[in-house]
Amino acid sequence: MSTMTIDQMMTSNPVPVRPSGRLTRRGRLVVFLGTLAIVLMLGIVWGSGSVATERAGTPEPTDVVTVMPGDTLYDLAADATPADGDVAAMVERIQRLNALDSGMLVAGQELRIPADD
């Protein structure tokens, strides 16, 4: 006959209880892969936007000019502007066509200049 009491039976718990709020290795892996899948899906959805321009038609015709020593963006724009045109507007068009951050040019650099209309 056994002499085990009820108190001894209650304190001996054969199933280990994990503290709440902690993840196992498998749980961390599931959370990581789930988060990765969500980020990839969002990247695909946001990155698949149209790259079409709002303007219809063909791109504007351009000429390629090589910058010579002493050339300035204003001089090149003045040469490309019609007699009654706005040189400042042409400077902005050249900067936009060539993705220039500033008006600084380097000798030997090739620029796209809008062709005569």
Side-chain angles (χ1 to χ4, degrees):
M1 184 178 221
S2 174
T3 60
M4 187 174 225
T5 64
I6 293 178
D7 288 338
Q8 291 173 337
M9 290 173 52
M10 294 301 238
T11 59
S12 62
N13 191 357
V15 179
V17 178
R18 293 195 183 273
S20 62
R22 294 185 57 132
L23 291 175
T24 62
R25 181 178 293 160
R26 186 183 321 171
R28 287 191 301 264
L29 180 64
V30 168
V31 169
F32 173 74
L33 291 177
T35 304
L36 183 63
I38 290 171
V39 168
L40 288 175
M41 285 189 297
L42 288 175
I44 290 170
V45 169
W46 287 337
S48 64
S50 174
V51 292
T53 61
E54 294 179 11
R55 293 188 297 162
T58 60
E60 70 179 297
T62 58
D63 294 327
V64 177
V65 174
T66 302
V67 177
M68 302 304 284
D71 283 346
T72 64
L73 186 57
Y74 188 86
D75 293 337
L76 294 174
D79 291 342
T81 305
D84 59 344
D86 183 16
V87 177
M90 181 61 75
V91 168
E92 290 178 18
R93 282 177 66 189
I94 294 171
Q95 285 180 321
R96 189 175 57 248
L97 276 172
N98 295 283
L100 298 175
D101 292 333
S102 68
M104 185 187 313
L105 301 178
V106 178
Q109 180 179 5
E110 292 186 345
L111 293 178
R112 293 184 308 158
I113 306 288
D116 293 332
D117 296 331

